[in-house]
Amino acid sequence: MEWNWDHAYAVLPQLLKGLVITIEATIVASLIAYILGLAIAILKMSKSKVTRVSLYWITEFVRRTPILVQLYVVFYVLPDFGIFLEAFTCGVIVLGVHFSTYTSEVFRAGIENVSKGQWEAAKSLNYNPYQAWKHVILPQAIPPMIPPLANYLITMFKETPLLAFITVVELFRAADQYSNSYYTYLEPMTLVGAFFLIVSIPSAMLAMKLEKKYKQVKVA
């Protein structure tokens, strides 16, 4: 089998469109993962044992079951119960919720790294809980979290091909559609790998740079 530049040039526009969708899915899913992860981390610190235990088992269930199974359940099973979601919406929600169970641990570790003295300082300033979180705790807790959160962003980007199984025409599915139409796989799949490398390698280098920058950060 030899490389055919005609196939490479022909599939390129479809792959570029798929890459845009892949990046969009990654960004939206990561926002869900970060926001929901932070909420889970805060709720896990609740004084209510019921809340803590419930969240523990829910997050464990989501974390321990495969993303592909979750995608199939949400996209193909929920319609039987009258719940219909577009493929892209379903994909980013499932990815975001799944990875929120991981980012919540990052947030929890960062929050717990803030010394008790900072909580007491916020209390002495007569801050209510919202003001304490916003002005004292999170500004100190978030910087050390940036490297691991960046790594999860890269991981989510590499997991987006799973969305092809629920008909989202991201990068992998765009290549697969072309390959099945013209019975050629070398050029489309090679280019898919190249696109993932082009995006993920610089992202990984940035994550390493951030880790180096923030690894010495300690909260007083």
Side-chain angles (χ1 to χ4, degrees):
M1 184 179 291
E2 296 182 359
W3 181 269
N4 188 318
W5 283 106
D6 290 335
H7 285 305
Y9 291 133
V11 74
L12 196 56
Q14 293 173 241
L15 293 185
L16 289 173
K17 290 180 181 178
L19 179 61
V20 170
I21 294 174
T22 294
I23 293 173
E24 289 176 346
T26 303
I27 293 172
V28 176
S30 65
L31 289 175
I32 294 172
Y34 295 155
I35 295 170
L36 185 57
L38 177 58
I40 291 171
I42 293 173
L43 287 172
K44 277 187 174 181
M45 300 175 69
S46 169
K47 294 180 180 179
S48 169
K49 186 177 180 180
V50 174
T51 300
R52 295 197 308 270
V53 172
S54 299
L55 278 174
Y56 171 80
W57 287 110
I58 291 171
T59 54
E60 282 299 301
F61 174 79
V62 173
R63 188 183 306 166
R64 304 303 175 186
T65 53
I67 298 176
L68 187 56
V69 173
Q70 295 170 5
L71 286 168
Y72 266 77
V73 168
V74 175
F75 189 69
Y76 292 109
V77 177
L78 288 188
D80 292 339
F81 298 92
I83 302 173
F84 298 88
L85 294 173
E86 293 183 356
F88 182 86
T89 303
C90 169
V92 297
I93 289 175
V94 170
L95 275 181
V97 170
H98 185 89
F99 278 95
S100 71
T101 62
Y102 294 96
T103 59
S104 66
E105 291 303 307
V106 176
F107 284 116
R108 183 186 60 79
I111 291 168
E112 289 182 348
N113 191 44
V114 178
S115 69
K116 291 182 179 179
Q118 298 300 314
W119 293 93
E120 293 169 1
K123 188 176 181 180
S124 68
L125 292 171
N126 292 321
Y127 281 172
N128 59 39
Y130 172 77
Q131 290 173 321
W133 280 105
K134 181 179 179 181
H135 298 296
V136 179
I137 307 305
L138 291 181
Q140 297 181 71
I142 286 177
M145 302 177 194
I146 292 175
L149 291 177
N151 285 326
Y152 278 124
L153 177 65
I154 297 170
T155 303
M156 277 186 273
F157 174 71
K158 292 189 292 184
E159 293 290 349
T160 53
L162 291 173
L163 303 188
F165 290 94
I166 58 169
T167 73
V168 176
V169 187
E170 41 63 67
L171 186 57
F172 173 78
R173 186 168 178 84
D176 188 56
Q177 287 180 337
Y178 184 90
S179 297
N180 291 333
S181 298
Y182 295 94
Y183 302 100
T184 178
Y185 295 88
L186 175 62
E187 297 83 7
M189 293 306 169
T190 301
L191 288 173
V192 167
F195 276 125
F196 271 102
L197 286 175
I198 288 170
V199 176
S200 61
I201 289 179
S203 300
M205 292 174 66
L206 178 60
M208 291 171 63
K209 205 169 183 180
L210 290 170
E211 185 173 4
K212 194 172 183 181
K213 179 178 180 181
Y214 290 110
K215 70 178 180 180
Q216 299 299 329
V217 174
K218 291 184 179 180
V219 180

PDB file of all heavy atoms in Angstrom, residues 162-191:
ATOM      1  N   LEU A 162     -14.393   9.014  20.824  1.00  0.00           N
ATOM      2  CA  LEU A 162     -15.512   8.209  21.308  1.00  0.00           C
ATOM      3  C   LEU A 162     -16.855   8.787  20.873  1.00  0.00           C
ATOM      4  O   LEU A 162     -17.841   8.059  20.763  1.00  0.00           O
ATOM      5  CB  LEU A 162     -15.457   8.103  22.838  1.00  0.00           C
ATOM      6  CG  LEU A 162     -14.310   7.277  23.428  1.00  0.00           C
ATOM      7  CD1 LEU A 162     -14.295   7.418  24.943  1.00  0.00           C
ATOM      8  CD2 LEU A 162     -14.425   5.815  23.025  1.00  0.00           C
ATOM      9  N   LEU A 163     -16.884  10.091  20.626  1.00  0.00           N
ATOM     10  CA  LEU A 163     -18.137  10.727  20.202  1.00  0.00           C
ATOM     11  C   LEU A 163     -18.572  10.249  18.824  1.00  0.00           C
ATOM     12  O   LEU A 163     -19.737  10.404  18.443  1.00  0.00           O
ATOM     13  CB  LEU A 163     -17.985  12.254  20.193  1.00  0.00           C
ATOM     14  CG  LEU A 163     -17.550  12.915  21.505  1.00  0.00           C
ATOM     15  CD1 LEU A 163     -17.638  14.428  21.387  1.00  0.00           C
ATOM     16  CD2 LEU A 163     -18.377  12.418  22.678  1.00  0.00           C
ATOM     17  N   ALA A 164     -17.642   9.664  18.068  1.00  0.00           N
ATOM     18  CA  ALA A 164     -17.990   9.128  16.750  1.00  0.00           C
ATOM     19  C   ALA A 164     -19.039   8.027  16.863  1.00  0.00           C
ATOM     20  O   ALA A 164     -19.839   7.822  15.945  1.00  0.00           O
ATOM     21  CB  ALA A 164     -16.740   8.581  16.058  1.00  0.00           C
ATOM     22  N   PHE A 165     -19.057   7.338  17.997  1.00  0.00           N
ATOM     23  CA  PHE A 165     -19.992   6.227  18.182  1.00  0.00           C
ATOM     24  C   PHE A 165     -21.420   6.696  18.385  1.00  0.00           C
ATOM     25  O   PHE A 165     -22.346   5.894  18.334  1.00  0.00           O
ATOM     26  CB  PHE A 165     -19.541   5.355  19.360  1.00  0.00           C
ATOM     27  CG  PHE A 165     -18.288   4.576  19.078  1.00  0.00           C
ATOM     28  CD1 PHE A 165     -17.048   5.081  19.438  1.00  0.00           C
ATOM     29  CD2 PHE A 165     -18.340   3.344  18.434  1.00  0.00           C
ATOM     30  CE1 PHE A 165     -15.886   4.372  19.175  1.00  0.00           C
ATOM     31  CE2 PHE A 165     -17.191   2.625  18.172  1.00  0.00           C
ATOM     32  CZ  PHE A 165     -15.945   3.141  18.536  1.00  0.00           C
ATOM     33  N   ILE A 166     -21.605   7.991  18.633  1.00  0.00           N
ATOM     34  CA  ILE A 166     -22.975   8.520  18.734  1.00  0.00           C
ATOM     35  C   ILE A 166     -23.217   9.529  17.608  1.00  0.00           C
ATOM     36  O   ILE A 166     -23.997  10.466  17.757  1.00  0.00           O
ATOM     37  CB  ILE A 166     -23.252   9.147  20.111  1.00  0.00           C
ATOM     38  CG1 ILE A 166     -22.272  10.276  20.427  1.00  0.00           C
ATOM     39  CG2 ILE A 166     -23.221   8.082  21.200  1.00  0.00           C
ATOM     40  CD1 ILE A 166     -22.669  11.098  21.639  1.00  0.00           C
ATOM     41  N   THR A 167     -22.502   9.346  16.513  1.00  0.00           N
ATOM     42  CA  THR A 167     -22.698  10.068  15.234  1.00  0.00           C
ATOM     43  C   THR A 167     -22.171  11.501  15.204  1.00  0.00           C
ATOM     44  O   THR A 167     -22.481  12.244  14.266  1.00  0.00           O
ATOM     45  CB  THR A 167     -24.193  10.084  14.799  1.00  0.00           C
ATOM     46  OG1 THR A 167     -24.939  10.985  15.632  1.00  0.00           O
ATOM     47  CG2 THR A 167     -24.801   8.693  14.853  1.00  0.00           C
ATOM     48  N   VAL A 168     -21.397  11.926  16.187  1.00  0.00           N
ATOM     49  CA  VAL A 168     -20.790  13.254  16.112  1.00  0.00           C
ATOM     50  C   VAL A 168     -19.669  13.200  15.077  1.00  0.00           C
ATOM     51  O   VAL A 168     -18.771  12.371  15.179  1.00  0.00           O
ATOM     52  CB  VAL A 168     -20.213  13.694  17.473  1.00  0.00           C
ATOM     53  CG1 VAL A 168     -19.507  15.045  17.344  1.00  0.00           C
ATOM     54  CG2 VAL A 168     -21.317  13.781  18.511  1.00  0.00           C
ATOM     55  N   VAL A 169     -19.718  14.082  14.092  1.00  0.00           N
ATOM     56  CA  VAL A 169     -18.721  14.056  13.023  1.00  0.00           C
ATOM     57  C   VAL A 169     -17.504  14.870  13.457  1.00  0.00           C
ATOM     58  O   VAL A 169     -17.230  15.964  12.962  1.00  0.00           O
ATOM     59  CB  VAL A 169     -19.298  14.587  11.692  1.00  0.00           C
ATOM     60  CG1 VAL A 169     -18.278  14.390  10.560  1.00  0.00           C
ATOM     61  CG2 VAL A 169     -20.587  13.865  11.348  1.00  0.00           C
ATOM     62  N   GLU A 170     -16.781  14.327  14.438  1.00  0.00           N
ATOM     63  CA  GLU A 170     -15.538  14.971  14.866  1.00  0.00           C
ATOM     64  C   GLU A 170     -14.413  14.465  13.956  1.00  0.00           C
ATOM     65  O   GLU A 170     -14.660  13.877  12.908  1.00  0.00           O
ATOM     66  CB  GLU A 170     -15.269  14.717  16.354  1.00  0.00           C
ATOM     67  CG  GLU A 170     -15.548  13.321  16.869  1.00  0.00           C
ATOM     68  CD  GLU A 170     -14.689  12.275  16.235  1.00  0.00           C
ATOM     69  OE1 GLU A 170     -13.474  12.292  16.476  1.00  0.00           O
ATOM     70  OE2 GLU A 170     -15.222  11.439  15.497  1.00  0.00           O
ATOM     71  N   LEU A 171     -13.184  14.658  14.387  1.00  0.00           N
ATOM     72  CA  LEU A 171     -12.033  14.362  13.539  1.00  0.00           C
ATOM     73  C   LEU A 171     -11.985  12.903  13.097  1.00  0.00           C
ATOM     74  O   LEU A 171     -11.835  12.605  11.903  1.00  0.00           O
ATOM     75  CB  LEU A 171     -10.752  14.731  14.291  1.00  0.00           C
ATOM     76  CG  LEU A 171      -9.429  14.623  13.529  1.00  0.00           C
ATOM     77  CD1 LEU A 171      -9.458  15.469  12.273  1.00  0.00           C
ATOM     78  CD2 LEU A 171      -8.282  15.064  14.430  1.00  0.00           C
ATOM     79  N   PHE A 172     -12.144  11.984  14.041  1.00  0.00           N
ATOM     80  CA  PHE A 172     -12.045  10.565  13.702  1.00  0.00           C
ATOM     81  C   PHE A 172     -13.180  10.127  12.785  1.00  0.00           C
ATOM     82  O   PHE A 172     -12.954   9.412  11.801  1.00  0.00           O
ATOM     83  CB  PHE A 172     -12.051   9.717  14.976  1.00  0.00           C
ATOM     84  CG  PHE A 172     -12.126   8.241  14.709  1.00  0.00           C
ATOM     85  CD1 PHE A 172     -11.002   7.542  14.312  1.00  0.00           C
ATOM     86  CD2 PHE A 172     -13.336   7.559  14.838  1.00  0.00           C
ATOM     87  CE1 PHE A 172     -11.073   6.174  14.047  1.00  0.00           C
ATOM     88  CE2 PHE A 172     -13.414   6.202  14.574  1.00  0.00           C
ATOM     89  CZ  PHE A 172     -12.277   5.509  14.185  1.00  0.00           C
ATOM     90  N   ARG A 173     -14.402  10.542  13.093  1.00  0.00           N
ATOM     91  CA  ARG A 173     -15.545  10.102  12.279  1.00  0.00           C
ATOM     92  C   ARG A 173     -15.465  10.689  10.872  1.00  0.00           C
ATOM     93  O   ARG A 173     -15.865  10.042   9.902  1.00  0.00           O
ATOM     94  CB  ARG A 173     -16.861  10.494  12.939  1.00  0.00           C
ATOM     95  CG  ARG A 173     -18.067   9.918  12.198  1.00  0.00           C
ATOM     96  CD  ARG A 173     -19.342  10.055  12.987  1.00  0.00           C
ATOM     97  NE  ARG A 173     -20.494   9.549  12.255  1.00  0.00           N
ATOM     98  CZ  ARG A 173     -20.864   8.283  12.215  1.00  0.00           C
ATOM     99  NH1 ARG A 173     -20.157   7.374  12.867  1.00  0.00           N
ATOM    100  NH2 ARG A 173     -21.931   7.897  11.535  1.00  0.00           N
ATOM    101  N   ALA A 174     -14.954  11.909  10.743  1.00  0.00           N
ATOM    102  CA  ALA A 174     -14.788  12.507   9.408  1.00  0.00           C
ATOM    103  C   ALA A 174     -13.853  11.651   8.569  1.00  0.00           C
ATOM    104  O   ALA A 174     -14.111  11.390   7.377  1.00  0.00           O
ATOM    105  CB  ALA A 174     -14.240  13.920   9.538  1.00  0.00           C
ATOM    106  N   ALA A 175     -12.763  11.191   9.182  1.00  0.00           N
ATOM    107  CA  ALA A 175     -11.828  10.318   8.474  1.00  0.00           C
ATOM    108  C   ALA A 175     -12.464   8.965   8.165  1.00  0.00           C
ATOM    109  O   ALA A 175     -12.283   8.408   7.076  1.00  0.00           O
ATOM    110  CB  ALA A 175     -10.565  10.133   9.303  1.00  0.00           C
ATOM    111  N   ASP A 176     -13.211   8.446   9.110  1.00  0.00           N
ATOM    112  CA  ASP A 176     -13.850   7.138   8.940  1.00  0.00           C
ATOM    113  C   ASP A 176     -14.875   7.173   7.814  1.00  0.00           C
ATOM    114  O   ASP A 176     -14.974   6.219   7.024  1.00  0.00           O
ATOM    115  CB  ASP A 176     -14.508   6.725  10.255  1.00  0.00           C
ATOM    116  CG  ASP A 176     -15.028   5.304  10.212  1.00  0.00           C
ATOM    117  OD1 ASP A 176     -14.230   4.396   9.916  1.00  0.00           O
ATOM    118  OD2 ASP A 176     -16.229   5.099  10.491  1.00  0.00           O
ATOM    119  N   GLN A 177     -15.630   8.251   7.734  1.00  0.00           N
ATOM    120  CA  GLN A 177     -16.619   8.376   6.666  1.00  0.00           C
ATOM    121  C   GLN A 177     -15.951   8.380   5.294  1.00  0.00           C
ATOM    122  O   GLN A 177     -16.405   7.721   4.356  1.00  0.00           O
ATOM    123  CB  GLN A 177     -17.445   9.652   6.858  1.00  0.00           C
ATOM    124  CG  GLN A 177     -18.441   9.579   7.998  1.00  0.00           C
ATOM    125  CD  GLN A 177     -19.230  10.863   8.159  1.00  0.00           C
ATOM    126  OE1 GLN A 177     -18.802  11.937   7.742  1.00  0.00           O
ATOM    127  NE2 GLN A 177     -20.388  10.776   8.785  1.00  0.00           N
ATOM    128  N   TYR A 178     -14.856   9.138   5.171  1.00  0.00           N
ATOM    129  CA  TYR A 178     -14.128   9.173   3.901  1.00  0.00           C
ATOM    130  C   TYR A 178     -13.544   7.800   3.582  1.00  0.00           C
ATOM    131  O   TYR A 178     -13.624   7.320   2.439  1.00  0.00           O
ATOM    132  CB  TYR A 178     -13.013  10.213   3.956  1.00  0.00           C
ATOM    133  CG  TYR A 178     -12.285  10.382   2.647  1.00  0.00           C
ATOM    134  CD1 TYR A 178     -12.708  11.310   1.708  1.00  0.00           C
ATOM    135  CD2 TYR A 178     -11.168   9.587   2.341  1.00  0.00           C
ATOM    136  CE1 TYR A 178     -12.048  11.460   0.491  1.00  0.00           C
ATOM    137  CE2 TYR A 178     -10.501   9.724   1.134  1.00  0.00           C
ATOM    138  CZ  TYR A 178     -10.943  10.668   0.215  1.00  0.00           C
ATOM    139  OH  TYR A 178     -10.291  10.799  -0.987  1.00  0.00           O
ATOM    140  N   SER A 179     -12.979   7.151   4.574  1.00  0.00           N
ATOM    141  CA  SER A 179     -12.358   5.840   4.360  1.00  0.00           C
ATOM    142  C   SER A 179     -13.376   4.811   3.894  1.00  0.00           C
ATOM    143  O   SER A 179     -13.108   4.020   2.985  1.00  0.00           O
ATOM    144  CB  SER A 179     -11.695   5.360   5.658  1.00  0.00           C
ATOM    145  OG  SER A 179     -10.664   6.226   6.042  1.00  0.00           O
ATOM    146  N   ASN A 180     -14.553   4.826   4.495  1.00  0.00           N
ATOM    147  CA  ASN A 180     -15.591   3.870   4.112  1.00  0.00           C
ATOM    148  C   ASN A 180     -16.171   4.162   2.734  1.00  0.00           C
ATOM    149  O   ASN A 180     -16.640   3.251   2.055  1.00  0.00           O
ATOM    150  CB  ASN A 180     -16.705   3.871   5.158  1.00  0.00           C
ATOM    151  CG  ASN A 180     -16.256   3.283   6.480  1.00  0.00           C
ATOM    152  OD1 ASN A 180     -15.351   2.456   6.526  1.00  0.00           O
ATOM    153  ND2 ASN A 180     -16.873   3.722   7.576  1.00  0.00           N
ATOM    154  N   SER A 181     -16.129   5.416   2.337  1.00  0.00           N
ATOM    155  CA  SER A 181     -16.660   5.787   1.021  1.00  0.00           C
ATOM    156  C   SER A 181     -15.700   5.429  -0.109  1.00  0.00           C
ATOM    157  O   SER A 181     -16.120   5.034  -1.198  1.00  0.00           O
ATOM    158  CB  SER A 181     -16.961   7.287   0.971  1.00  0.00           C
ATOM    159  OG  SER A 181     -17.943   7.634   1.919  1.00  0.00           O
ATOM    160  N   TYR A 182     -14.386   5.591   0.144  1.00  0.00           N
ATOM    161  CA  TYR A 182     -13.387   5.393  -0.914  1.00  0.00           C
ATOM    162  C   TYR A 182     -12.475   4.190  -0.658  1.00  0.00           C
ATOM    163  O   TYR A 182     -11.541   3.951  -1.418  1.00  0.00           O
ATOM    164  CB  TYR A 182     -12.538   6.661  -1.070  1.00  0.00           C
ATOM    165  CG  TYR A 182     -13.354   7.841  -1.546  1.00  0.00           C
ATOM    166  CD1 TYR A 182     -13.904   8.750  -0.634  1.00  0.00           C
ATOM    167  CD2 TYR A 182     -13.609   8.044  -2.901  1.00  0.00           C
ATOM    168  CE1 TYR A 182     -14.671   9.818  -1.057  1.00  0.00           C
ATOM    169  CE2 TYR A 182     -14.370   9.121  -3.332  1.00  0.00           C
ATOM    170  CZ  TYR A 182     -14.897  10.005  -2.403  1.00  0.00           C
ATOM    171  OH  TYR A 182     -15.656  11.070  -2.837  1.00  0.00           O
ATOM    172  N   TYR A 183     -12.763   3.454   0.415  1.00  0.00           N
ATOM    173  CA  TYR A 183     -12.007   2.242   0.738  1.00  0.00           C
ATOM    174  C   TYR A 183     -10.500   2.492   0.819  1.00  0.00           C
ATOM    175  O   TYR A 183      -9.689   1.716   0.320  1.00  0.00           O
ATOM    176  CB  TYR A 183     -12.312   1.136  -0.283  1.00  0.00           C
ATOM    177  CG  TYR A 183     -13.774   0.793  -0.349  1.00  0.00           C
ATOM    178  CD1 TYR A 183     -14.587   1.307  -1.377  1.00  0.00           C
ATOM    179  CD2 TYR A 183     -14.388   0.005   0.630  1.00  0.00           C
ATOM    180  CE1 TYR A 183     -15.940   1.024  -1.432  1.00  0.00           C
ATOM    181  CE2 TYR A 183     -15.738  -0.281   0.584  1.00  0.00           C
ATOM    182  CZ  TYR A 183     -16.506   0.241  -0.443  1.00  0.00           C
ATOM    183  OH  TYR A 183     -17.856  -0.041  -0.484  1.00  0.00           O
ATOM    184  N   THR A 184     -10.162   3.590   1.425  1.00  0.00           N
ATOM    185  CA  THR A 184      -8.762   3.895   1.678  1.00  0.00           C
ATOM    186  C   THR A 184      -8.633   4.407   3.107  1.00  0.00           C
ATOM    187  O   THR A 184      -9.402   5.270   3.528  1.00  0.00           O
ATOM    188  CB  THR A 184      -8.223   4.943   0.689  1.00  0.00           C
ATOM    189  OG1 THR A 184      -6.872   5.245   1.016  1.00  0.00           O
ATOM    190  CG2 THR A 184      -9.040   6.229   0.700  1.00  0.00           C
ATOM    191  N   TYR A 185      -7.713   3.841   3.858  1.00  0.00           N
ATOM    192  CA  TYR A 185      -7.593   4.158   5.277  1.00  0.00           C
ATOM    193  C   TYR A 185      -6.252   4.776   5.653  1.00  0.00           C
ATOM    194  O   TYR A 185      -6.152   5.463   6.672  1.00  0.00           O
ATOM    195  CB  TYR A 185      -7.807   2.883   6.116  1.00  0.00           C
ATOM    196  CG  TYR A 185      -9.204   2.339   5.990  1.00  0.00           C
ATOM    197  CD1 TYR A 185      -9.535   1.436   4.972  1.00  0.00           C
ATOM    198  CD2 TYR A 185     -10.214   2.737   6.865  1.00  0.00           C
ATOM    199  CE1 TYR A 185     -10.829   0.945   4.841  1.00  0.00           C
ATOM    200  CE2 TYR A 185     -11.511   2.246   6.746  1.00  0.00           C
ATOM    201  CZ  TYR A 185     -11.807   1.355   5.731  1.00  0.00           C
ATOM    202  OH  TYR A 185     -13.091   0.886   5.594  1.00  0.00           O
ATOM    203  N   LEU A 186      -5.242   4.527   4.845  1.00  0.00           N
ATOM    204  CA  LEU A 186      -3.908   4.993   5.185  1.00  0.00           C
ATOM    205  C   LEU A 186      -3.847   6.499   5.345  1.00  0.00           C
ATOM    206  O   LEU A 186      -3.412   7.017   6.388  1.00  0.00           O
ATOM    207  CB  LEU A 186      -2.898   4.538   4.117  1.00  0.00           C
ATOM    208  CG  LEU A 186      -1.463   5.062   4.289  1.00  0.00           C
ATOM    209  CD1 LEU A 186      -0.874   4.566   5.602  1.00  0.00           C
ATOM    210  CD2 LEU A 186      -0.599   4.641   3.101  1.00  0.00           C
ATOM    211  N   GLU A 187      -4.264   7.230   4.328  1.00  0.00           N
ATOM    212  CA  GLU A 187      -4.141   8.686   4.354  1.00  0.00           C
ATOM    213  C   GLU A 187      -5.050   9.347   5.402  1.00  0.00           C
ATOM    214  O   GLU A 187      -4.561  10.151   6.221  1.00  0.00           O
ATOM    215  CB  GLU A 187      -4.438   9.274   2.956  1.00  0.00           C
ATOM    216  CG  GLU A 187      -3.458   8.837   1.886  1.00  0.00           C
ATOM    217  CD  GLU A 187      -3.805   7.481   1.293  1.00  0.00           C
ATOM    218  OE1 GLU A 187      -4.890   6.940   1.620  1.00  0.00           O
ATOM    219  OE2 GLU A 187      -2.974   6.969   0.523  1.00  0.00           O
ATOM    220  N   PRO A 188      -6.359   9.011   5.437  1.00  0.00           N
ATOM    221  CA  PRO A 188      -7.223   9.661   6.432  1.00  0.00           C
ATOM    222  C   PRO A 188      -6.799   9.402   7.872  1.00  0.00           C
ATOM    223  O   PRO A 188      -6.724  10.336   8.684  1.00  0.00           O
ATOM    224  CB  PRO A 188      -8.603   9.055   6.147  1.00  0.00           C
ATOM    225  CG  PRO A 188      -8.541   8.629   4.727  1.00  0.00           C
ATOM    226  CD  PRO A 188      -7.144   8.164   4.522  1.00  0.00           C
ATOM    227  N   MET A 189      -6.499   8.149   8.204  1.00  0.00           N
ATOM    228  CA  MET A 189      -6.159   7.818   9.583  1.00  0.00           C
ATOM    229  C   MET A 189      -4.782   8.354   9.978  1.00  0.00           C
ATOM    230  O   MET A 189      -4.564   8.745  11.128  1.00  0.00           O
ATOM    231  CB  MET A 189      -6.224   6.303   9.799  1.00  0.00           C
ATOM    232  CG  MET A 189      -7.632   5.753   9.679  1.00  0.00           C
ATOM    233  SD  MET A 189      -8.797   6.626  10.799  1.00  0.00           S
ATOM    234  CE  MET A 189     -10.379   6.005  10.186  1.00  0.00           C
ATOM    235  N   THR A 190      -3.868   8.400   9.029  1.00  0.00           N
ATOM    236  CA  THR A 190      -2.556   8.979   9.307  1.00  0.00           C
ATOM    237  C   THR A 190      -2.684  10.466   9.598  1.00  0.00           C
ATOM    238  O   THR A 190      -2.057  10.993  10.527  1.00  0.00           O
ATOM    239  CB  THR A 190      -1.597   8.774   8.122  1.00  0.00           C
ATOM    240  OG1 THR A 190      -1.462   7.371   7.861  1.00  0.00           O
ATOM    241  CG2 THR A 190      -0.221   9.360   8.418  1.00  0.00           C
ATOM    242  N   LEU A 191      -3.512  11.134   8.810  1.00  0.00           N
ATOM    243  CA  LEU A 191      -3.723  12.567   9.026  1.00  0.00           C
ATOM    244  C   LEU A 191      -4.437  12.833  10.348  1.00  0.00           C
ATOM    245  O   LEU A 191      -4.157  13.835  11.019  1.00  0.00           O
ATOM    246  CB  LEU A 191      -4.524  13.157   7.861  1.00  0.00           C
ATOM    247  CG  LEU A 191      -3.761  13.278   6.541  1.00  0.00           C
ATOM    248  CD1 LEU A 191      -4.692  13.720   5.416  1.00  0.00           C
ATOM    249  CD2 LEU A 191      -2.603  14.262   6.676  1.00  0.00           C
TER     250      LEU A 191
END
